[in-house]
Amino acid sequence: MLFLDKTPELSDVDMMIYKFITAHLDKVCLMRIRDLADATHVSTATILRFCRKFDCSGFSEFRVRLRMYTERAGATQVDLADETTYIDFLKRTSQSEFKGRIRQATKLLKDAELVLFVGVGSSGIVAEYGALYFSSLFTLALHIEDPLNHPFNHLSKGLSGKLCIIAISVSGETSEVIKYIQHINAHQCKILSITNSEKSTVARLSDVNIPYYIHRETYQGADITSQLPALYTVESIAREIRRKLDNEAK
């Protein structure tokens, strides 16, 4: 929150002050404590208590840290999409390593009767798309929106053998996904993961992992790494399974 790495406990009055500051960052950096108090209709003592909740000894320190925060935020720029990253990834998809991972995933999933996609944030959106894509080409697939609130304590042994989890995570270190996989592991369900690195925790907890290895990007603390490789991988798996099933049916 602002220049803090944590979220302090704010009262309703504190939240009102916070909203005013975030809406007028440049102005607040130039204000005196009395100016801010008048603008937010509170006392200077209230402003001081607010500053202390942001680990500042007083308003002067708060204003300095706020100015540094706004300068850093203004200096941050997002690079244009680098098409060479995508080209490099697509070239690797034609190599034996990637094709071998797709075959492993196909073998793992081919006999599944239910596929559950799990992911958080932008990976969650890819997981939702994956569930729709799999349902269209292969078998019933569902998206788990809230991994921590979908326990499998009463999963039957018969179903667990026909259930496969597809975990999608750029970092491979998403705590919600890790906890979900650890819980699923106790039921001996099959787990496939799509991550940026095969050395991540999610990858190591999986039966099969497909890493895509592209440059990770962040902007103001948010992960903005492209999900194109994950989307491509999901579609490749579904299409390969469909192709294999059609060939077996002939």
Side-chain angles (χ1 to χ4, degrees), residues 68-226:
M68 294 172 63
Y69 166 78
T70 56
E71 289 174 353
R72 286 197 304 271
T76 304
Q77 293 183 342
V78 178
D79 294 331
L80 294 175
D82 184 4
E83 65 274 9
T84 59
T85 298
Y86 307 138
I87 294 171
D88 178 64
F89 165 73
L90 292 172
K91 284 181 178 178
R92 283 187 277 115
T93 63
S94 63
Q95 296 175 359
S96 59
E97 172 67 20
F98 184 84
K99 289 184 176 180
R101 303 264 184 164
I102 294 294
R103 287 195 295 270
Q104 291 177 25
T106 301
K107 184 177 180 181
L108 188 74
L109 285 160
K110 189 168 69 72
D111 297 323
E113 294 181 359
L114 176 63
V115 177
L116 298 179
F117 279 82
V118 60
V120 175
S122 60
S123 294
I125 297 173
V126 176
E128 185 175 3
Y129 172 77
L132 176 63
Y133 202 83
F134 263 60
S135 296
S136 300
L137 280 177
F138 168 42
T139 189
L140 176 63
L142 302 174
H143 168 225
I144 302 299
E145 293 184 11
D146 188 357
L148 297 185
N149 286 323
H150 282 78
F152 282 85
N153 296 325
H154 307 293
L155 188 65
S156 68
K157 291 183 178 179
L159 181 57
S160 63
K162 295 292 185 179
L163 176 64
C164 185
I165 308 297
I166 298 183
I168 301 176
S169 172
V170 176
S171 68
E173 302 297 339
T174 309
S175 59
E176 296 94 333
V177 176
I178 291 172
K179 290 178 182 178
Y180 189 78
I181 292 177
Q182 290 173 334
H183 188 76
I184 286 294
N185 274 334
H187 295 279
Q188 299 181 336
C189 298
K190 299 171 183 176
I191 300 172
L192 164 69
S193 62
I194 301 172
T195 61
N196 194 39
S197 171
E198 64 182 334
K199 298 185 182 299
S200 64
T201 302
V202 169
R204 289 187 284 110
L205 287 171
S206 307
D207 297 297
V208 175
N209 170 253
I210 304 180
Y212 45 83
Y213 293 112
I214 66 168
H215 175 64
R216 289 192 63 189
E217 295 180 89
T218 60
Y219 178 74
Q220 295 184 359
D223 192 326
I224 59 169
T225 305
S226 173

